[in-house]
Amino acid sequence: EIVLTQSPATLSLSPGDRATLSCRASQSVSSFLAWYQQKPGQAPRLLIYDASNRATGIPARFSGSGSGTDFTLTISSLEPEDFAVYYCQQRSNWPPYTFGQGTKLEIK
Amino acid sequence: QGQLVESGGGLVKPGGSLRLSCAASGFTFSDYYMAWIRQAPGKGLEWVSYISPSDTTIYYVDSVKGRFTISRDNAKNSLYLQMNSLRAEDTAIYYCARDRFYVGNDYWGQGTLVTVSS
């Protein structure tokens, strides 16, 4: 089973700041990595797939990069609605399609 | 835009059973893999099971193998999860989600809470 480790666990920033979230895989997942956003009381929402492709309706301030074992989600300029928990998920060859433990992005 | 609506959650005693349902609309259900993903209270996401469009491929995470059974009825646009021999550690919100190969889970339901407690 592929293990995903996200860092930091918590990120405290202000609106307008740039956010950089990291996800590291225990073995290569090629580019098959997705990112999700989850707000309190809501289901997760797909943000990024294939490491760098934005899902339908996702604003351009969200971008993803990386391949192999190291991936980054960047939010270029934080909006108030971006404060949430973010998860990465590997989608390589075969299940289980494991998730990282999450990064909480909170208002400083 | 696709919509998924789960039902069937509730309070059950350890060792008991529960059957979750998920009703799909707004997309061709029979074309897609479907998945169950759960989230224990205050914890992260755990991918539990998925099923191919024609039932030929089914997968379970190790922690539920032999206890949970995923199924679907394409005529009714519905996904199911039969959960037997429930344990306290199965307590979670259970989400139904559309599963797209190499892409991820792009449609999610609102979730249904399963609580296993005596």
Side-chain angles (χ1 to χ4, degrees):
Chain A
E1 179 176 306
I2 297 174
V3 176
L4 299 179
T5 302
Q6 291 187 240
S7 61
T10 304
L11 186 57
S12 300
L13 294 171
S14 300
D17 287 348
R18 180 184 186 89
T20 303
L21 287 68
S22 175
C23 177
R24 176 164 290 179
S26 59
Q27 64 189 76
S28 177
V29 298
S30 185
S31 65
F32 303 126
L33 190 103
W35 289 94
Y36 298 84
Q37 176 194 67
Q38 188 179 32
K39 297 179 181 179
Q42 295 185 18
R45 176 174 71 146
L46 178 67
L47 297 176
I48 300 287
Y49 65 92
D50 250 7
S52 61
N53 293 288
R54 279 188 302 276
T56 303
I58 301 304
R61 64 181 181 273
F62 290 91
S63 63
S65 64
S67 66
T69 60
D70 289 296
F71 299 87
T72 300
L73 174 69
T74 301
I75 310 171
S76 59
S77 179
L78 286 166
E79 298 286 341
E81 62 268 26
D82 297 337
F83 293 91
V85 179
Y86 292 83
Y87 295 95
C88 57
Q89 181 197 36
Q90 62 84 13
R91 301 290 308 185
S92 69
N93 290 346
W94 199 248
Y97 295 131
T98 47
F99 292 91
Q101 82 281 14
T103 289
K104 182 179 181 180
L105 179 54
E106 64 177 24
I107 299 176
K108 188 174 182 179
Chain B
Q1 182 73 349
Q3 186 175 12
L4 299 168
V5 179
E6 301 95 336
S7 60
L11 175 63
V12 61
K13 289 181 168 51
S17 298
L18 215 51
R19 189 192 195 211
L20 306 183
S21 300
C22 171
S25 60
F27 64 97
T28 306
F29 179 75
S30 58
D31 284 349
Y32 290 92
Y33 281 71
M34 295 296 297
W36 288 100
I37 296 163
R38 67 184 179 183
Q39 187 170 35
K43 301 297 184 183
L45 300 166
E46 181 182 30
W47 192 92
V48 174
S49 179
Y50 85 171
I51 185 169
S52 62
S54 55
D55 299 0
T56 52
T57 300
I58 287 175
Y59 186 89
Y60 302 98
V61 71
D62 283 348
S63 57
V64 309
K65 277 181 187 173
R67 300 188 299 122
F68 290 12
T69 301
I70 191 172
S71 62
R72 64 192 295 162
D73 185 335
N74 288 339
K76 295 183 178 179
N77 291 336
S78 292
L79 177 72
Y80 306 101
L81 187 67
Q82 177 68 43
M83 303 186 296
N84 299 331
S85 303
L86 281 161
R87 306 167 180 167
E89 54 265 36
D90 296 318
T91 294
I93 296 172
Y94 284 74
Y95 295 102
C96 161
R98 191 172 82 166
D99 199 285
R100 291 178 58 199
F101 234 54
Y102 300 127
V103 171
N105 302 104
D106 58 351
Y107 293 160
W108 296 66
Q110 83 289 351
T112 187
L113 177 62
V114 172
T115 302
V116 184
S117 174
S118 55

